[in-house]
Amino acid sequence: MAQERTGVATLKGNPLTLIGPELKKGDQAPDFQLNKSLVDVVTLKDFAGKVKLVSVVPSIDTGVCDAQTRRFNEEAGKLGDNVVVLTVSVDLPFAQARWCGAAGIDKVVLLSDYRNNNFGEAYGVLIKDLHLDFRSIFVIDEKDTIQYVEVLSEMTEHPNYEEALNAVKALV
């Protein structure tokens, strides 16, 4: 049975239960299986040797998630070839591709946790009742060690973009 954490996250002030461990700086990044399409699956190893900025959003079709992904897409081009920016949500790969096309997103890799919430549970951000992943940021170094974590306390708020980007820049 996966660990359940209460009292750490809210949606418009209403408490949510997160499933999975509370990851911290210095922890080894858990492996994951995320869908790039309905059939193409990627794991942490697919990004080996790169610094990974993982931006987790509940749904790409909401205002804050849209803004968060656009901001990291804008910054991704400035971070260098040794950095990959991943946006993870439970949206279907079709919806992610449609949104990227409409938004002109071309530097961020969108990955879907829809199939079994593998990422959300491994990273401790799966929302029990909603089966969405809670808004969070993870910066993982080339050796797959977590160097920065921000799990917001309120789902509708923006992450600290500058702190996350500074964490990435410190590694490259």
Side-chain angles (χ1 to χ4, degrees):
M1 181 85 177
Q3 176 184 357
E4 292 189 5
R5 299 180 0 255
T6 58
V8 295
T10 59
L11 172 59
K12 296 183 179 175
N14 297 306
L16 298 171
T17 299
L18 299 183
I19 297 176
E22 180 182 357
L23 298 178
K24 295 181 172 61
K25 180 179 177 176
D27 288 345
Q28 191 64 24
D31 198 8
F32 53 74
Q33 292 184 347
L34 291 166
N35 284 74
K36 210 172 177 176
S37 71
L38 284 184
V39 292
D40 296 320
V41 175
V42 298
T43 68
L44 186 61
K45 291 175 187 58
D46 288 304
F47 306 102
K50 292 194 177 277
V51 172
K52 296 152 283 283
L53 189 159
V54 184
S55 171
V56 183
V57 298
S59 175
I60 201 68
D61 286 313
T62 63
V64 177
C65 299
D66 178 292
Q68 181 173 329
T69 305
R70 288 176 189 268
R71 173 70 188 273
F72 284 128
N73 186 69
E74 185 181 303
E75 299 288 346
K78 305 173 195 171
L79 297 173
D81 293 339
N82 196 40
V83 177
V84 62
V85 180
L86 309 175
T87 292
V88 175
S89 75
V90 297
D91 296 300
L92 288 173
F94 302 122
Q96 291 177 335
R98 173 194 44 76
W99 183 88
C100 283
I105 300 299
D106 58 355
K107 293 175 183 64
V108 170
V109 178
L110 268 78
L111 299 171
S112 177
D113 196 22
Y114 86 94
R115 186 163 287 168
N116 58 14
N117 300 120
N118 172 273
F119 177 93
E121 192 169 323
Y123 282 72
V125 295
L126 177 61
I127 303 167
K128 182 179 180 180
D129 297 332
L130 303 177
H131 292 279
L132 297 173
D133 290 340
F134 195 76
R135 187 175 320 285
S136 49
I137 306 290
F138 299 90
V139 175
I140 303 167
D141 69 17
E142 299 97 326
K143 296 179 180 166
D144 295 337
T145 301
I146 297 173
Q147 297 298 333
Y148 175 86
V149 176
E150 181 185 14
V151 178
L152 281 80
S153 55
E154 169 55 46
M155 191 160 82
T156 60
E157 293 178 359
H158 285 267
N160 188 326
Y161 299 108
E162 293 308 318
E163 275 191 24
L165 291 166
N166 287 338
V168 170
K169 291 173 187 171
L171 297 171
V172 292

